[in-house]
Amino acid sequence: MNIYDVSAKAGVSIATVSRVLNGNPNVSDKTRSRVMEVMNALGYTPNVFARGLGLNTMKTVGIMCSDSSDPYLAHAIYYLERELRANGYDSILCCTGSKLINKRQYFELLLSKRVDAMILAGSKFVEIDSAEDNNYIIEAAADLPVMLVNGFLDAPGIYSTVCDDRDAMYQVADRLIKSGRRRILYVYTSHSYSGENKKRGYRDALAANGIPVRDDLICQCGKNIAAAKELLISLADSGLDFDAVMTSDDSLAVGAVKFAHARALDMPKDLAVVGYNNSMMSYCTDPEISSVDTKIEALCITTVQSLMQVFGGGDVPRKTTIAADFVQKQTTDI
Amino acid sequence: MNIYDVSAKAGVSIATVSRVLNGNPNVSDKTRSRVMEVMNALGYTPNVFARGLGLNTMKTVGIMCSDSSDPYLAHAIYYLERELRANGYDSILCCTGSKLINKRQYFELLLSKRVDAMILAGSKFVEIDSAEDNNYIIEAAADLPVMLVNGFLDAPGIYSTVCDDRDAMYQVADRLIKSGRRRILYVYTSHSYSGENKKRGYRDALAANGIPVRDDLICQCGKNIAAAKELLISLADSGLDFDAVMTSDDSLAVGAVKFAHARALDMPKDLAVVGYNNSMMSYCTDPEISSVDTKIEALCITTVQSLMQVFGGGDVPRKTTIAADFVQKQTTDI
């Protein structure tokens, strides 16, 4: 007997059952009566996490990420856990994978544990093509704070801390152009809030410098070193000419360095390469890869600080933006 | 008011208070009375996780690791969380850092949450030089199962799943020797259960092949690419001659590849390089680094399977050993 059974039997969402349990006024009297009837009929009592037992909080925050073994997200989890613990909060971790149905299920599962807040780490949690697919997050935010790390959803109760990816990419492209590069290949992994901002920065910098944006210089690629290397080889073989490669992830930049080695290109003279996230990978290659430090530690610290302010009843902006840093190493001279 | 206050006031350990709460018979009547008196005097009631409220389990497991942003541990957490969730268990994550005092504090904190079991990920949790420093783990294991991932402590209630690091290193060294290498440098990061087994494998293989073990060919180094590169440069500059480098971690092997590049050495002809953990880093370099796959996914799956058997009252061996795999890439020809 759990909140799922009540939700199914009453024909309402988990979030609605949660609202009734919390005494949230945003439930119609009719719905509230229906849910209470079902609870009585089923003999349901809220679980031990429930605030209804007279305990105001479990001091526990749910953290969701698509894949904690991704280096960027692994760091996010490390910093979030550290900051939450420093503030006296436990974190229940949930790695959801990338499918919407699983994200929704795990989200509801964590809600049913009566966590005090949810943190969604990484930009993969906001569906940018089908806004209605985000409704489950927006609905839940009526009951508890939802914090997005490097994602953005404009709704009450949702607080986003984002890296200024658009500006970071703009600056890199602008500096490459001003140092003489004209045919900058842009290779990216995913269609997401963060991914679209990065691409926009690249496009805007070209436009601002009077360079036409060419579709054949913008390519998608799996987040995989070998795939990126092969992509660049096939592009070069097909006659495409490029003097710089900007990427949305360091793994793609490592593939670009391997392409340059395979073709005996000098870096940065013949080919400039720029990674993204300034991960350990960017330090493994020879030459080391210039990359964008997306300040994941600062993002996580700010996320937890904002959450504590929300808990304290403070006025927190729905969106906080943090600037990235370009870390020049050996694959650029800009 | 919490279990700490009771522990402090009664002058007994958290584990003892926990035993009293659990009705564990391994507490003297005198101690039990004392703890109960203090609880009454302080008005203490067990927190909502407590089994004492008539709930047998929170279906929650505490996971401790020293640093979730380390690639090996990041994967461990990912697999542990996935397997626990598949079995209906939540995980509360705790990144402790490397100091014993912090490990102990976090361990007690998680115990006070009344988790159903503890999983300690990584070999850094067992102190191999000062056995008494492990007593807090051995004591806790009287009350709840403690699972060690790639660490070993021989005590009731502690179940270890370990990679056969000694055999993995033995096989690598043996193959290097049989392919003609005679001056194999061994570079390692840490003094731990796993670290000592790796070193033993190296030593045993040399001894078995009649090659003297030379102390000047065994070096410790920080887990850092640049430090490893500099160490090898200074060793070579000091006149040390070596035709192969075995390492206890891929980051050191990346440093060795950078050393070889700096000295224009051909790999593997002039220098063979072997990494450990077969992480993403070993795929970033040119040439790619041959490395030992330590089967972290299998270790984690086995750990959770063993835990479920323990929960079910099954007979589980205190130590399960899983064989590693050598993944030959481009820095060896063995």
Side-chain angles (χ1 to χ4, degrees):
Chain A
M1 185 62 50
N2 59 34
I3 198 167
Y4 288 110
D5 303 317
V6 176
S7 152
K9 181 95 175 170
V12 300
S13 70
I14 297 271
T16 301
V17 179
S18 167
R19 271 186 216 114
V20 172
L21 287 167
N22 281 318
N24 184 312
N26 297 328
V27 185
S28 72
D29 286 347
K30 198 180 148 201
T31 303
R32 186 183 315 278
S33 306
R34 169 94 192 112
V35 170
M36 302 284 276
E37 267 167 35
V38 169
M39 284 185 189
N40 284 332
L42 293 176
Y44 173 77
T45 47
N47 75 21
V48 288
F49 281 89
R51 297 176 179 84
L53 283 179
L55 298 143
N56 269 327
T57 167
M58 287 302 298
K59 295 211 125 194
T60 299
V61 172
I63 299 179
M64 286 172 62
C65 73
S66 53
D67 176 0
S68 67
S69 67
D70 173 87
Y72 178 83
L73 294 174
H75 280 88
I77 287 161
Y78 174 74
Y79 295 126
L80 289 170
E81 195 276 337
R82 185 188 70 185
E83 294 303 309
L84 286 168
R85 194 163 301 286
N87 283 283
Y89 281 78
D90 286 329
S91 46
I92 298 186
L93 176 66
C94 205
C95 306
T96 62
S98 57
K99 286 194 191 131
L100 178 64
I101 185 166
N102 293 333
K103 290 181 201 164
R104 290 186 60 149
Q105 276 176 354
Y106 285 132
F107 193 92
E108 298 214 331
L109 180 67
L110 284 177
L111 282 188
S112 75
K113 309 277 178 195
R114 317 301 294 275
V115 292
D116 296 297
M118 291 283 287
I119 299 180
L120 311 188
S123 65
K124 295 267 180 73
F125 283 101
V126 178
E127 303 292 330
I128 56 175
D129 294 327
S130 46
E132 69 279 7
D133 284 343
N134 299 317
N135 284 346
Y136 75 103
I137 302 175
I138 294 170
E139 241 186 82
D143 291 323
L144 87 178
V146 176
M147 315 302 288
L148 302 184
V149 181
N150 216 26
F152 178 61
L153 257 183
D154 192 9
I158 303 182
Y159 304 91
S160 300
T161 308
V162 298
C163 174
D164 197 342
D165 295 310
R166 185 256 167 208
D167 185 63
M169 280 302 195
Y170 183 98
Q171 298 298 337
V172 168
D174 189 61
R175 287 168 69 170
L176 284 169
I177 294 163
K178 291 201 165 37
S179 75
R181 312 280 167 171
R182 285 296 173 273
R183 300 173 306 282
I184 306 174
L185 185 65
Y186 183 72
V187 190
Y188 67 100
T189 57
S190 68
H191 182 55
S192 65
Y193 174 79
S194 164
E196 291 308 297
N197 281 335
K198 292 177 194 170
K199 203 194 288 176
R200 198 156 52 83
Y202 163 81
R203 287 171 165 273
D204 289 354
L206 265 61
N209 284 281
I211 297 178
V213 176
R214 286 166 46 189
D215 282 345
D216 61 339
L217 284 174
I218 302 178
C219 299
Q220 190 164 14
C221 180
K223 201 175 195 166
N224 179 294
I225 296 169
K229 178 184 175 185
E230 293 309 316
L231 172 69
L232 266 57
I233 287 176
S234 75
L235 289 175
D237 283 348
S238 74
L240 189 74
D241 192 23
F242 47 91
D243 53 13
V245 182
M246 286 173 62
T247 64
S248 71
D249 188 84
D250 282 337
S251 57
L252 303 181
V254 172
V257 167
K258 285 178 182 271
F259 157 77
H261 286 161
R263 291 298 158 100
L265 299 175
D266 183 71
M267 289 170 279
K269 193 168 76 63
D270 303 329
L271 187 72
V273 176
V274 180
Y276 210 86
N277 286 335
N278 200 42
S279 69
M280 184 63 80
M281 280 186 272
S282 71
Y283 292 88
C284 287
T285 55
D286 250 329
E288 295 181 0
I289 300 169
S290 301
S291 188
V292 174
D293 177 352
T294 47
K295 302 293 187 67
I296 182 64
E297 183 172 11
L299 255 68
C300 293
I301 291 173
T302 302
T303 297
V304 173
Q305 280 175 347
S306 297
L307 178 59
M308 295 306 138
Q309 281 165 25
V310 171
F311 284 155
D315 200 20
V316 175
R318 285 195 194 163
K319 186 177 180 178
T320 306
T321 302
I322 288 177
D325 257 353
F326 177 66
V327 182
Q328 178 137 272
K329 297 201 275 285
Q330 299 168 322
T331 57
T332 56
D333 49 359
I334 58 181
Chain B
M1 186 60 51
N2 60 34
I3 198 167
Y4 288 111
D5 304 311
V6 176
S7 151
K9 181 94 176 172
V12 300
S13 70
I14 295 272
T16 301
V17 179
S18 168
R19 270 187 215 114
V20 171
L21 286 167
N22 281 319
N24 184 311
N26 297 330
V27 185
S28 73
D29 286 345
K30 193 178 154 206
T31 303
R32 187 184 311 279
S33 307
R34 169 99 190 108
V35 171
M36 302 284 275
E37 266 168 35
V38 169
M39 283 185 192
N40 284 332
L42 293 175
Y44 173 78
T45 46
N47 75 21
V48 287
F49 281 89
R51 296 179 181 83
L53 284 178
L55 297 142
N56 269 329
T57 166
M58 286 304 299
K59 297 210 119 189
T60 299
V61 172
I63 299 179
M64 285 172 65
C65 73
S66 53
D67 176 0
S68 67
S69 67
D70 173 87
Y72 177 83
L73 294 175
H75 280 89
I77 286 160
Y78 175 74
Y79 294 127
L80 289 170
E81 195 277 336
R82 185 187 72 185
E83 295 303 310
L84 286 168
R85 195 162 299 286
N87 283 283
Y89 282 78
D90 287 328
S91 45
I92 297 185
L93 176 67
C94 206
C95 306
T96 61
S98 58
K99 286 194 191 130
L100 178 64
I101 183 165
N102 293 332
K103 290 182 201 164
R104 289 186 62 148
Q105 274 176 354
Y106 284 133
F107 192 92
E108 298 214 332
L109 180 67
L110 284 176
L111 283 187
S112 76
K113 308 279 176 193
R114 315 301 294 277
V115 292
D116 296 297
M118 290 285 286
I119 300 180
L120 311 187
S123 64
K124 294 267 180 74
F125 283 101
V126 178
E127 304 291 330
I128 57 176
D129 293 326
S130 45
E132 69 279 8
D133 285 342
N134 299 316
N135 284 346
Y136 74 103
I137 303 175
I138 293 168
E139 240 187 81
D143 291 322
L144 89 178
V146 176
M147 316 301 290
L148 302 184
V149 181
N150 216 28
F152 178 62
L153 258 183
D154 193 10
I158 302 182
Y159 304 91
S160 300
T161 308
V162 298
C163 174
D164 197 342
D165 294 311
R166 184 255 167 209
D167 185 64
M169 281 302 196
Y170 183 98
Q171 297 298 337
V172 168
D174 189 62
R175 286 168 70 171
L176 284 169
I177 294 163
K178 292 202 163 38
S179 74
R181 312 280 168 171
R182 284 295 173 273
R183 301 173 306 281
I184 306 174
L185 183 65
Y186 183 72
V187 190
Y188 68 99
T189 57
S190 68
H191 183 55
S192 65
Y193 173 78
S194 164
E196 290 309 296
N197 281 334
K198 292 177 193 170
K199 202 192 291 177
R200 197 157 52 83
Y202 163 82
R203 288 172 165 276
D204 289 354
L206 265 60
N209 283 280
I211 297 178
V213 176
R214 287 165 47 188
D215 282 345
D216 61 339
L217 284 174
I218 302 178
C219 299
Q220 190 165 13
C221 181
K223 202 175 196 163
N224 179 294
I225 296 170
K229 178 185 174 184
E230 294 309 316
L231 172 68
L232 267 59
I233 287 176
S234 76
L235 290 174
D237 282 349
S238 74
L240 189 73
D241 191 22
F242 46 91
D243 54 12
V245 182
M246 286 174 62
T247 63
S248 72
D249 188 82
D250 282 336
S251 58
L252 303 182
V254 171
V257 167
K258 285 178 182 272
F259 157 76
H261 287 161
R263 292 296 158 104
L265 298 175
D266 183 71
M267 288 170 281
K269 194 169 73 64
D270 303 328
L271 187 72
V273 176
V274 181
Y276 211 86
N277 286 335
N278 200 42
S279 69
M280 183 64 79
M281 280 185 272
S282 70
Y283 292 89
C284 287
T285 55
D286 251 328
E288 294 180 0
I289 299 168
S290 301
S291 188
V292 174
D293 177 354
T294 47
K295 303 293 187 69
I296 181 64
E297 183 173 10
L299 254 68
C300 292
I301 290 173
T302 302
T303 297
V304 174
Q305 279 175 348
S306 297
L307 178 59
M308 295 305 136
Q309 281 165 26
V310 171
F311 283 155
D315 200 20
V316 175
R318 284 197 197 162
K319 185 177 182 179
T320 306
T321 302
I322 289 178
D325 257 354
F326 177 66
V327 181
Q328 177 135 274
K329 297 202 276 287
Q330 299 168 323
T331 56
T332 56
D333 48 359
I334 59 180

